[in-house]
Amino acid sequence: MTEFVTRFGSLKDFDKGHIEIINDNPKYYVFSNVFEVANGAKPYEKVAVAKNLEYVIEAIRAEGTSGWMAASHDEFCIVMDGQVDIEFVKLDNPDAVAPASKEGTVAVQGEPKGKRMGSIRLGHGHQALLPKGAAYRFSSAGTSVMVQQSILGDLTVQKWGEICYS
Amino acid sequence: MNAIAEKIPATVAGYKTFELGGFTFLRDEYFVTITWPVKDRRQSHTMSADAFLRALMRDVAWGFFYGVVNFDHVFGTRNLYGKVEFFGGRLNEHYHNNGLSYVEVFDTPRAMKLIKEILADWCNEGFDPFAAPLETGDAAFGEKHGNNLKAIDRFRVATRRMPGLDGDSPLRGDDNGYAINRAFADVAQDKPVIKAEPGFEGELHAFNLFAYLSRSDVTWNPSVTSVCKNSLFCPTTEEYILPIIHGNDRVEWFLQFSDEIMWNITDKETGRPRARVLMKAGDVAAMPADIAHQGFSKKRSMLLVWENGNPGIVKMHESGEIPPYPVTF
């Protein structure tokens, strides 16, 4: 019986694919690789690797401890490499931090005011809910890679020309 | 001269024949033949029965999906959201330019009822149109023998926020019939560690997405695992060939979670080749709104399909309000 080997990528071991153009523009495919992007990113820089109108997927290099963040809507993160801890605080006044009119991740100024909700430790391939109304912060003892599902916001970094095939 | 008989037989090799508007559908031991009216005769088209049934299964499971479901380079459906267009040759410039294309629009419930009947009658015992060929073998072929209603009654998992939350779609495990697929036996099944303070037990949530995907019992069948307003993460596991050539009516994005997929990209309106895109683990790429794509996965792989479910987006593309490409740089 065939023994299958599932190949995941990592920060230290990834093999980027390619585009073979027949009659097209490679820029239209906005092709990048999350591990390559994380390799060239600052810790917790939220680099957009996909954008669909207002929505984004951000690649994040998790290293050390992030600042506190929140959003007026649910967000989600998936660990692509390494291990990431998330702490959560239920905000006493979430609208003051991330009003409904404001989309995307916002930075929480200072320590979040509210009750501690607990923590989640994520390993490879694990996905967590970053719930609306909660502040959260990440920490990683080593260097890890995540993707985050969110909406284009003040913290989103767009540098398509640097990260994509052209 | 009309080479196609005006009346088709009621059954062939034990399989029922079907009509929908101007289209006829007939299957035999190996093939499906579709005909439609053109000029003073009928145009015919033949597909392998297994390929036709795999494509039809996706139309049933996805409710005709987003945009165009090309069964191959000639026949397919286009979702008009409430109605559905069936076409022969419309998106093939040679058929269309020579007056051999045909389009007919049906109310979605009527069309769905008929294609479910076709699927129920034409899928033999042992043939699972959601499975990879190495899993389901050659049971699709031969004279009619039995059926596989259990396999074709699967539906697309509807998740409101995230699987595993109270009242939301379930996680997958041995206990609810989701065994680890043979191709993902090496995928770790560990779980996140959740430490909730008293009173917040139901609010913190995480799961092992890759383990969840390793237990998918279908191929090429996206199901939602996270919802951020209209932003839908729809990961899926892929093996062999995407049974349809998907013509986009909006920008779609792919993030390759594991292994690799080669995509053939063609122009949505003409079928002309435009590019080939090889995606490996960690790669991200857009599928523009004016292309059609078909994937080839030599080993079962994990792919994140990312959709924007905004119902107004089709008109925005059609009117030119937004370009077919998601980013300019």
Side-chain angles (χ1 to χ4, degrees):
Chain A
M1 187 175 166
T2 306
E3 190 168 320
F4 294 96
V5 176
T6 302
R7 290 190 60 82
F8 293 104
S10 69
L11 203 58
K12 292 181 178 168
D13 182 15
F14 67 92
D15 183 20
K16 194 175 176 182
H18 63 254
I19 305 174
E20 300 169 22
I21 292 296
I22 298 166
N23 182 18
D24 216 338
N25 181 343
K27 286 185 176 181
Y28 293 162
Y29 298 92
V30 200
F31 190 118
S32 67
N33 178 284
V34 297
F35 303 112
E36 186 176 67
V37 170
N39 255 324
K42 298 170 196 162
Y44 299 106
E45 187 179 30
K46 291 158 68 69
V47 183
V49 291
K51 179 175 176 295
N52 203 329
L53 299 182
E54 70 269 41
Y55 300 106
V56 289
I57 301 175
E58 298 160 331
I60 297 170
R61 176 189 183 98
E63 196 172 64
T65 302
S66 75
W68 286 95
M69 292 170 275
S72 64
H73 45 79
D74 284 346
E75 301 175 288
F76 301 86
C77 65
I78 301 166
V79 172
M80 300 289 288
D81 183 24
Q83 181 175 286
V84 177
D85 291 319
I86 317 174
E87 297 172 76
F88 296 88
V89 168
K90 185 82 169 181
L91 290 167
D92 289 339
N93 188 358
D95 285 348
V97 176
S101 58
K102 181 89 174 168
E103 294 187 322
T105 312
V106 300
V108 176
Q109 302 304 317
E111 288 294 309
K113 293 182 175 58
K115 283 187 182 170
R116 181 180 147 74
M117 299 173 75
S119 65
I120 297 176
R121 171 163 287 182
L122 299 177
H124 180 242
H126 297 180
Q127 171 182 315
L129 167 67
L130 307 172
K132 171 187 175 179
Y136 58 86
R137 72 175 173 186
F138 302 111
S139 62
S140 177
T143 304
S144 302
V145 180
M146 299 185 293
V147 291
Q148 187 163 334
Q149 179 185 12
S150 188
I151 300 178
L152 186 72
D154 295 344
L155 302 182
T156 307
V157 175
Q158 297 190 70
K159 46 183 177 183
W160 304 103
E162 288 179 38
I163 66 172
C164 297
Y165 285 137
S166 59
Chain B
M1 166 183 137
N2 186 352
I4 311 294
E6 289 296 328
K7 295 286 183 186
I8 56 173
T11 60
V12 176
Y15 300 102
K16 290 181 192 169
T17 54
F18 295 88
E19 293 181 49
L20 181 64
F23 290 96
T24 66
F25 301 87
L26 176 154
R27 88 150 283 186
D28 57 35
E29 290 86 341
Y30 277 121
F31 304 113
V32 169
T33 299
I34 308 161
T35 76
W36 56 88
V38 290
K39 300 175 185 169
D40 57 346
R41 64 181 180 89
R42 293 189 69 80
Q43 179 65 45
S44 67
H45 179 61
T46 300
M47 291 182 65
S48 181
D50 62 332
F52 178 87
L53 292 169
R54 287 190 174 101
L56 197 70
M57 182 75 256
R58 271 68 187 182
D59 252 354
V60 168
W62 303 342
F64 298 107
F65 207 35
Y66 296 122
V68 178
V69 172
N70 293 286
F71 283 42
D72 64 0
H73 61 294
V74 176
F75 176 77
T77 62
R78 185 198 303 264
N79 197 347
L80 304 178
Y81 306 100
K83 292 182 182 294
V84 59
E85 174 187 295
F86 280 55
F87 61 84
R90 175 61 188 87
L91 301 182
N92 180 306
E93 64 178 348
H94 302 292
Y95 281 72
H96 188 58
N97 293 343
N98 286 296
L100 301 176
S101 65
Y102 179 72
V103 172
E104 191 167 344
V105 176
F106 304 98
D107 288 334
T108 297
R110 177 187 171 197
M112 181 58 74
K113 180 172 182 290
L114 182 104
I115 66 173
K116 282 183 174 176
E117 287 172 10
I118 296 177
L119 205 58
D121 191 73
W122 288 5
C123 281
N124 288 323
E125 183 179 2
F127 176 66
D128 181 352
F130 267 132
L134 285 174
E135 295 171 319
T136 199
D138 60 3
F141 302 118
E143 293 187 349
K144 180 170 172 59
H145 50 279
N147 58 47
N148 196 357
L149 299 181
K150 186 182 171 192
I152 65 177
D153 279 344
R154 293 190 193 98
F155 57 92
R156 199 177 182 196
V157 174
T159 296
R160 288 191 294 276
R161 199 176 180 201
M162 181 169 163
L165 282 168
D166 278 351
D168 216 321
S169 62
L171 295 174
R172 295 172 180 155
D174 292 332
D175 54 341
N176 59 354
Y178 291 96
I180 300 168
N181 185 270
R182 78 203 196 289
F184 291 135
D186 60 341
V187 173
Q189 301 292 312
D190 62 318
K191 296 177 181 175
V193 178
I194 301 174
K195 294 181 178 173
E197 297 291 338
F200 293 108
E201 293 84 355
E203 295 191 43
L204 298 188
H205 184 58
F207 76 125
N208 186 335
L209 174 64
F210 291 175
Y212 177 89
L213 292 173
S214 76
R215 294 174 177 274
S216 170
D217 61 342
V218 293
T219 63
W220 308 101
N221 188 39
S223 52
V224 176
T225 54
S226 54
V227 179
C228 172
K229 297 191 174 180
N230 279 319
S231 163
L232 309 175
F233 271 18
C234 313
T236 162
T237 60
E238 323 292 49
E239 184 174 339
Y240 190 51
I241 304 172
L242 174 58
I244 65 159
I245 305 167
H246 181 208
N248 293 54
D249 66 2
R250 66 195 71 204
V251 174
E252 194 175 35
W253 283 84
F254 295 153
L255 195 171
Q256 191 72 38
F257 279 149
S258 83
D259 306 288
E260 65 181 59
I261 298 177
M262 174 61 91
W263 295 95
N264 278 351
I265 311 295
T266 54
D267 185 88
K268 184 172 75 174
E269 289 298 322
T270 65
R272 291 183 186 175
R274 288 175 52 164
R276 279 163 57 79
V277 178
L278 177 65
M279 296 188 67
K280 298 188 177 184
D283 287 344
V284 187
M287 295 289 118
D290 61 352
I291 61 104
H293 56 272
Q294 184 171 40
F296 300 77
S297 185
K298 62 187 177 186
K299 183 256 175 196
R300 203 178 192 96
S301 65
M302 298 182 183
L303 174 72
L304 172 62
V305 177
W306 181 40
E307 301 283 0
N308 185 335
N310 180 346
I313 208 165
V314 177
K315 282 195 168 54
M316 293 162 76
H317 278 297
E318 286 175 350
S319 67
E321 181 183 343
I322 55 175
Y325 315 110
V327 172
T328 302
F329 63 97

